[in-house]
Each structure stands twice: as C-alpha cells, then as structure tokens.
C-alpha cells in the first residue's frame, strides 16, 4: 500500500495528520531535499509540499517531475497561496492533454 506524506513548516502541515498523511516538519531546504529523496525511495506515492518550502528546493523537486512516482503536489501554507501550486497543476495538465484546458473565464 502506498503512503502519503506532507512536508513544510509545522503550522502548515500538522492538521494533515488527522487525515492519515504522514507529516514532516521541515523548513531547511537541504534537509527537505534529503527527506524528499528518502520518501521517494521508501514507497511514498504522493508527497505534498508547501509552496514556500518548494520554492527553496525547485531543483530537487524537478528531478521527480518526469517520474511516475512520487507525485509531488504543491499546497499553500499558513502564509497564504502564492499561485505556484495551481501553475504546476496547469503545466501538468497542458503536458498531458496538449492544450490549456484550465482558464479563467471572466
């Protein structure tokens, strides 16, 4: 059975434990990169990372973007939404479908 983790600052992630996700409180990008590699090698299928932490470890995250697993999903933290997560989802959809199907109809 696959596992799901969430990484980021303590205030942003600890509520996820109630949903069955395994929280990893990390703020140092080097330590977070090591933990990401460890989780990827130990059977985690989905890893949620706060946008603020992900912004500091883009190179490490990029290593996994083409791989099937783990799926790395950016989420907003307590500091708010930067838009990075939705841009990452949009980019993935564009690559999979071949066009932009997510748009702001205003």
């Amino acid at each position: 059975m696959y596992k799901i983790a969430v990484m980021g600052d303590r205030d942003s992630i600890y509520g996820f434990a109630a949903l069955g996700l395994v929280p990893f409180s990390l703020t140092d990008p080097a330590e977070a990169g090591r933990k990401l590699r460890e989780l990827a090698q130990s059977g985690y299928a989905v890893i949620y990372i706060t946008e603020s932490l992900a912004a500091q470890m883009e190179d490490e995250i990029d290593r996994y973007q083409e791989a099937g697993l783990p799926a790395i999903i950016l989420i907003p933290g307590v500091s708010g939404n930067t838009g990075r997560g939705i841009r990452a989802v949009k980019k993935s959809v564009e690559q999979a479908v071949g066009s932009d199907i997510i748009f702001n109809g205003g």
Side-chain angles (χ1 to χ4, degrees):
M1 183 164 159
Y2 290 113
K3 300 175 273 187
I4 302 172
V6 60
M7 295 170 45
D9 62 277
R10 184 181 198 285
D11 292 339
S12 296
I13 65 161
Y14 266 87
F16 289 94
L19 301 173
L21 282 69
V22 182
F24 294 94
S25 179
L26 301 160
T27 55
D28 176 62
E31 183 180 350
R34 287 189 294 273
K35 179 56 74 175
L36 178 59
R37 287 188 298 276
E38 177 186 320
L39 296 175
Q41 294 172 358
S42 60
Y44 281 82
V46 178
I47 303 171
Y48 293 97
I49 303 175
T50 59
E51 292 174 330
S52 59
L53 180 59
Q56 300 174 65
M57 50 185 289
E58 288 180 1
D59 291 339
E60 191 65 41
I61 291 171
D62 287 345
R63 293 177 50 190
Y64 297 98
Q65 292 305 315
E66 298 298 319
L69 292 177
I72 297 174
I73 301 168
L74 306 185
I75 58 172
V78 294
S79 59
N81 184 351
T82 66
R84 293 175 61 85
I86 193 67
R87 285 193 301 272
V89 169
K90 183 177 178 184
K91 180 179 175 187
S92 295
V93 169
E94 287 174 357
Q95 289 174 338
V97 177
S99 67
D100 180 5
I101 63 168
I102 301 174
F103 64 91
N104 293 328

